[in-house]
Amino acid sequence: MSANNMADPRRQNKILRYKPPSTETNPTLEDPTPDYMNLLGMIFSMCGLMLKLKWCAWIAVYCSFISFANSRSSEDTKQMMSSFMLSISAVVMSYLQNPQPMSPPW
């Protein structure tokens, strides 16, 4: 076993643990995708609720899932969960008012 350690070319003093770069020093590293998807989800949810458009409600659910998947664990989860619940309620309300299958928008 000690012969194996002698043949190991790695240097223990050169091994450094990876630390992700902080966004405070470089704000360009922050990804705006979750915020944009959260906003789009809320807009489509409101269109689905107010205009009774089922496809808008489903797009809102899709945007909420993308926002949740791309978010960091340190971000505010209340806003994300409220957007997700708003999109789910848009789907439920649009199907409660008209239980027919969704017709294509074209």
Side-chain angles (χ1 to χ4, degrees):
M1 191 99 165
S2 64
N4 192 14
N5 285 342
M6 297 301 250
D8 193 3
R10 296 176 288 187
R11 290 174 270 173
Q12 292 295 325
N13 59 349
K14 297 290 184 180
I15 297 174
L16 298 174
R17 184 173 176 86
Y18 173 74
K19 293 177 189 163
S22 65
T23 56
E24 289 86 25
T25 58
N26 193 358
T28 58
L29 294 175
E30 191 168 325
D31 187 22
T33 304
D35 297 331
Y36 290 146
M37 285 296 147
N38 202 359
L39 179 66
L40 275 175
M42 287 190 183
I43 290 171
F44 278 119
S45 295
M46 289 314 228
C47 288
L49 280 171
M50 305 276 186
L51 304 174
K52 299 175 182 143
L53 297 171
K54 293 178 185 174
W55 60 272
C56 276
W58 282 112
I59 291 174
V61 171
Y62 183 70
C63 288
S64 295
F65 274 128
I66 292 174
S67 173
F68 180 71
N70 288 326
S71 68
R72 293 182 184 251
S73 62
S74 60
E75 287 185 15
D76 185 27
T77 57
K78 283 187 212 173
Q79 184 178 3
M80 219 171 318
M81 289 310 288
S82 66
S83 171
F84 183 70
M85 294 306 290
L86 182 66
S87 63
I88 293 293
S89 67
V91 170
V92 168
M93 291 306 290
S94 64
Y95 277 95
L96 279 177
Q97 292 168 355
N98 184 11
Q100 255 67 18
M102 186 175 77
S103 60
W106 55 87

